[in-house]
Amino acid sequence: KSLAGIDLSSANLQKANLQGAILRHANLGYGLLYCTFLNHCILRGANLIDASFRGCNFRNANFRNSNISEINLTEATMPDGSIHP
């Protein structure tokens, strides 16, 4: 599932299953991704500015060099398995 470089800015991807997707350098800025499955996803270098990831599953995801300014991670499962408050 390579979606490298795709522009999904402002997209509504609520409850989508993007498990294992390759989203290197993708633009997900300002997107709605409530309860989206992003476990084992590669988000290296992605633009995630002001996106809402409330309740998402990021278990084992890779965020290296991603722009995570102003993102909402409320109740999200983080890469280490912990739940964000």
Side-chain angles (χ1 to χ4, degrees), residues 25-43:
H25 305 289
N27 183 357
L28 298 169
Y30 305 97
L32 296 173
L33 294 104
Y34 302 121
C35 299
T36 300
F37 292 96
L38 292 162
N39 44 324
H40 299 283
C41 201
I42 299 171
L43 293 156

Side-chain angles (χ1 to χ4, degrees), residues 15-69:
K15 299 183 181 179
N17 184 352
L18 297 173
Q19 179 174 305
I22 299 168
L23 292 163
R24 278 191 189 106
H25 305 289
N27 183 357
L28 298 169
Y30 305 97
L32 296 173
L33 294 104
Y34 302 121
C35 299
T36 300
F37 292 96
L38 292 162
N39 44 324
H40 299 283
C41 201
I42 299 171
L43 293 156
R44 291 180 69 162
N47 173 13
L48 308 174
I49 294 174
D50 206 26
S52 183
F53 293 102
R54 183 183 187 109
C56 286
N57 183 343
F58 289 110
R59 193 172 193 102
N60 297 309
N62 183 332
F63 286 94
R64 280 199 185 113
N65 301 318
S66 293
N67 188 338
I68 57 172
S69 301

